[in-house]
Amino acid sequence: VGRGEGNLCVRYDASLDGSAGGGGSSTPFAKGCESQRCLVTGRNETFSGDGGLRYEGCCAWDLHVWLYSDNSIPATNEAVTIPTVYITMEEATLLLDVVRGANDSQSGDPVVLTMYQRYRPEYNFSAVMIWALGVFVAWIASYHSSVEYRRLGKALMAKREMNARMERDEVGRGGDDRSQGVGSVGRRGRSRSPPSSSSVSSNERQIQQQPPQQGVEMGRSGSNISNTERGAGGEERVIYRAESSSSSSQPQYVEDPDSLELTASHAVGFIVMASTSLLVLFFFKIYSVVKIMYAFGCSGALAQIIIHPGLVHLFQRIKWDRPLRTIEWMTEEDATRAALHGGFKGHCLICLWQLIGPISAVDVAAMIISYGIGATWLYVAFMIPHPDTIAFYWIIQDIFGLCMCILFLQTIKLNAIKVGAILLIVAFFYDIFFVFVTPLLTKHGESIMVNVATSGGPPKADPAWCEKYPWDANCKGGDPLPMLFAIPRIGDY
C-alpha cells in the first residue's frame, strides 16, 4: 500500500537500490502506478547478475464503478436509499490515515465526511446544438446550390426592364414625330403622314444610341447588339436584331457541366447501391475502408468549399496575384508541345493536363492543406481509441460533413417533385427494412443498420477490461462511423 516499506513492490524494486542490472527499470514501480497499490502475482525470478530473487508485481487499477441499482437484488416493499460515493485507492488511503490519526489522538473530535453530488444537466443541450447545426448546413447548402437560378432570375429581370425601357423610348419618339407633322401643316398648309408600320423591318429595330453610360447598362442587361451604323445625318445608330421566337427572347440557361440532374432511375439506383454497400460492410467488416474514403473524399470537398476560396480571397485582399496565375509549365500549349516532341515527359505532361487541367499555386496549396488535415484526422481515427472524445476529431468531422453536404447539393439537381417523392418513399422503406426487419433474418438477431453504424456493435469484453486494454480485439467496436454530426455532451460525465 502506498510508497512505504509495507508495499512489497516498493521494498523489492530493483530501481530503488541501484541494482538495475538485476532487471530493474530506471523508473520506480511505485511512481508508475497511479493507484499506489501493488499486487504480487506469485511468479519469482532469479537473475544471473547478482543471484537475487525478484518478485513479479502488477499495478492495481482504479476502475470506474457503475453506481446504479442492482437488478439482481429482489425488490422489497421498502425502497433502499443508501448514498454511495466513488473514490480512488489513493484517496481511500488518505481517508483511512485521517481516521486512524483521529483515533490515535484521542481528542474526541469526530471525522466528518461531506459528499457532494456532481451537477448533471436535465436537458441534453448538445442535441439542440446538433439540430441547429443540421438546419444551418441545410440552409447554406441550399443557398449555394441555387446560385445558378438566382443568376438566371437577375438576367431575366434585367431583360424585362430593358424591353420596357425600349418600348417607352419608341412611344416617346412616335409622339414627337406626330407633333412635328402637325406643326408642318400649320406652317405650310400640307400634311406629312407618319411612316407606316410596314416600312419598319420586322427583323430589326433602329434605335438612336443613348449616352455611353446608358449604352453600357444596355450591354450589361443582356441585349443582342448586331452592329453599329452611321445614319444619313451622321448620327450613330445601334441596330438591335429582333428575336424570331419567344424562347430566344429570354435569357438562355446554361447548365453547369459539373452538375447532375437526378431522375427516377437515379433515385432507385441510389437505394440499390446503398443497400449493397450496407450488406458488404456487414458481412466483410471493412469499416476502416469507410473512414479512409470519408477522409479523402471530404478533404477534396474541404478544398473546394473553404480552403481554395479562402486563399483566393486572401491573395486578392493583399493584392498578390502571382499565386493565382497558371503555372508556366502546366499550360495547354506547353503540354501539347511536349507531347508532339514525344518522350516520357511529354506523355506524362499531356496526361496530367487532361486529368487536372490548368493548375495554379493556390490550387496546389489548397490541396496540400486540405489533404494534410484529412490525413491527420485519419491518423487520430486509427491510432487513438474512442477518438470522438478529442476536440480536433469531432470538430474536423463536422466541418467535413458540412463541406460534403454543400458540394453534394451543388452537384445534384432535383428539378422534379416526382423524383424527390420516389427517393423519399424508397428511402423510408429502406430504413424500416434494415433497422427493424433484419433482426428477424440474421443469425444472432442483429440489426444490420445498427451494427454497421456502430462499427460492428458494442465491445464484447467487459468495460472495466476495455478501459485498461483498449487495443484488445474484443474491445474494438462501438464507435459510430463518421457519417453524422457529433458534439460531446455539455456539462455531463
Side-chain angles (χ1 to χ4, degrees), residues 72-85:
S72 62
I73 301 178
T76 59
N77 295 330
E78 183 179 358
V80 180
T81 56
I82 302 177
T84 57
V85 63

Side-chain angles (χ1 to χ4, degrees), residues 95-112:
L95 180 61
L96 292 176
D97 292 341
V98 171
V99 173
R100 294 191 188 98
N103 293 334
D104 296 340
S105 63
Q106 301 296 328
S107 61
D109 296 333
V111 177
V112 180

